């Protein structure tokens, strides 16, 4: 058994108690059905057709349970294959599904490098796994081979700058713990960690929290034997080599260079999208994971939902249109907490009636009609909302 396998048998990740399924559903990115629709199916997926999904490296099941539970609640058909090397993680994921009474899930123990042996998939979730493979490119390639035509991938990989302080500690603990069993390694590392000087870059980094959450979190963050982060450029390159293309990050605003440059400072002309995002990643400095959707190369433009299509239905994540309308009318801006940062997103007061019309069923065309706007007037009024909410991942276009 490899060291990585031994880790996830000893510390299935993330640490979860299946009994908690009775009181809450963990939601997040990637793999919320609205995101899948918005980033991979242009907001137009026909959800009466079963979604064939693969959860590659599903761990204790957060992505799996979210997808299966939300589709079940919406009465939408699916066939989900869960795949992971760790039998301990699988046992927890299976129990979570059982507690919720979820059906339609096939549990498999094996490597995502053989993903295509399990079928072809409309959607593949691969969250927090590729950067732990001995040869990550082989993982990108394997997932690409398992995609059905027209399908897409939701993925998360580590990013370097927001994880500053992690890698020197991983190296030091790796050397100190060589030959120790996972539990002894954890005990040793926690003792050393407790005595680190306050000025250590890890201690100065407010974005790192996993080590405080659980033993599995500490192990995953600081004792991993295989962990390589990706810059925007490196991610773009790995996707391209696998015949894939980035559709979008789930929060494109994080990578928006214009939001980081003061008036009068301009990026050199001729930078392409990736180069601009790579510069933004360096200037922002706090991105610790890249959460992204990808499709076969050449399909990116048609995969992404765009509000020029008035048949699209906007959905508000984590709230309602009515709530946002009240915030817009009262404050003209929305305050967001983004990791350890506070961000202010402008929400023009004049947009309050448009926000109030978002009910999860009404199309953009219906919203325009209700507001008495013709398509040109609506496009002008909607654009700032799309930028403010869409670019922070708070508004998605998806079939209800
Ligand atoms: C950090 S956990 C992420 C779990 C889950 N995707 C999540 O985001 O909560 C990484 C998981 O990938 C699994 N894994 C690592 N290499 C794998 C491989 N080659 N094939 C399948 N699973 C793998 C591990 O066993 C572990 O459960």
């Amino acid at each position: 058994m490899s060291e990585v396998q031994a880790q996830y048998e000893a510390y299935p990740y993330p640490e979860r108690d299946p009994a908690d399924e009775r009181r809450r559903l963990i939601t997040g990115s990637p793999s919320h059905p609205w995101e899948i629709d918005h980033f991979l199916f242009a907001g137009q997926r026909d959800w009466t057709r079963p979604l064939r999904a693969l959860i590659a490296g599903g761990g204790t099941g957060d992505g799996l349970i979210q997808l299966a539970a939300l589709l079940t609640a919406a009465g939408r058909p699916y066939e989900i294959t869960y795949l992971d090397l760790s039998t301990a993680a699988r046992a927890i994921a299976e129990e979570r599904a059982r507690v919720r009474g979820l059906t339609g899930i096939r549990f498999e123990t094996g490597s995502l490098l053989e993903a295509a042996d399990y079928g072809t998939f409309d959607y593949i979730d691969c969250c927090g796994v590729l950067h732990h493979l001995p040869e990550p490119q082989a993982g990108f390639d394997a997932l690409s081979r398992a995609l059905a035509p027209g399908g897409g991938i939701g993925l998360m990989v580590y990013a370097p700058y927001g994880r500053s302080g992690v890698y020197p500690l991983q190296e030091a603990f790796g050397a100190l713990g060589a030959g120790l069993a996972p539990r002894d390694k954890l005990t040793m590392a926690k003792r050393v960690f407790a005595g680190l000087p306050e000025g250590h870059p890890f201690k100065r980094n407010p974005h790192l929290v996993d080590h405080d959450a659980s033993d599995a979190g500490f192990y995953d963050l600081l004792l991993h034997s295989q962990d390589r982060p990706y810059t925007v450029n490196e991610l773009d390159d790995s996707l391209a080599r696998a015949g894939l293309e980035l559709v979008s990050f789930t929060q494109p605003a994080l990578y928006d260079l214009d939001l980081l440059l003061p008036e009068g400072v301009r990026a050199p002309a001729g930078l392409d999208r990736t180069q601009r995002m790579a510069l933004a990643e360096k200037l922002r400095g706090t991105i610790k994971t890249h959460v992204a959707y990808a499709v076969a190369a050449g399909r990116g433009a048609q995969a992404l939902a765009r509000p020029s299509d008035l048949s699209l239905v906007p959905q508000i994540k984590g709230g309602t249109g009515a709530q946002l309308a009240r915030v817009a009318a009262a404050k003209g801006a929305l305050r967001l907490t983004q990791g350890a940062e506070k961000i202010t997103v402008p929400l023009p007061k004049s947009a309050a009636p448009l926000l109030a019309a978002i009910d999860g069923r009404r199309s953009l065309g219906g919203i325009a009609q209700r507001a008495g706007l013709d398509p040109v007037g609506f496009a002008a009024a909607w654009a700032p909302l799309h930028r403010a909410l869409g670019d922070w991942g708070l508004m998605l276009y998806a079939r209800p």
Side-chain angles (χ1 to χ4, degrees), residues 312-316 358 360 362-364 367 382 395-398:
L312 294 183
V313 180
Q315 310 285 352
I316 301 296
I358 301 174
R362 197 175 275 122
S363 68
L364 293 178
I367 293 171
W382 191 259
M395 183 167 68
L396 298 154
Y397 303 106

Side-chain angles (χ1 to χ4, degrees), residues 4-5 7-9 11-14 16 30 55-63 82-87 89-90 96 110-114 125-134 156 158 220 224:
V4 171
Q5 263 177 291
Q7 171 186 336
Y8 288 115
E9 289 298 347
Y11 294 104
Y13 186 91
R16 294 286 179 244
I55 311 291
T60 52
D62 281 4
Y82 162 102
L83 181 63
D84 201 292
L85 286 173
S86 163
T87 55
R90 168 182 167 167
R96 291 175 75 181
S111 173
L112 64 80
L113 296 176
E114 274 89 52
D125 164 285
C126 193
C127 179
V129 185
L130 291 166
H131 47 238
H132 292 318
L133 299 181
M156 183 277 270
Y158 289 150
D220 217 69
H224 218 291

Side-chain angles (χ1 to χ4, degrees), residues 15 31 36 57 65 90 141 199 281 292 388 398:
E15 201 168 299
S31 295
I36 295 173
I65 298 296
R90 168 182 167 167
D141 298 348
E281 178 185 28

Side-chain angles (χ1 to χ4, degrees), residues 11-17 20 62 186 190 193 202 207-222 288:
Y11 294 104
Y13 186 91
E15 201 168 299
R16 294 286 179 244
D17 178 356
D20 289 340
D62 281 4
L186 181 71
K190 282 192 161 179
F193 183 82
F202 186 97
H207 307 285
L208 301 169
V209 288
D210 255 19
H211 57 299
D212 280 333
S214 63
D215 284 352
F218 189 102
Y219 211 108
D220 217 69
L221 187 63
L222 290 171
K288 57 180 186 169

Side-chain angles (χ1 to χ4, degrees), residues 321 324-325 328-329 346-358 367 381-382 384-385:
L324 288 179
L347 274 189
K349 289 188 185 203
S350 57
L354 296 177
L355 287 166
I358 301 174
I367 293 171
W382 191 259
L385 281 186

Side-chain angles (χ1 to χ4, degrees), residues 13 181 227 344:
Y13 186 91
D227 170 338
T344 303

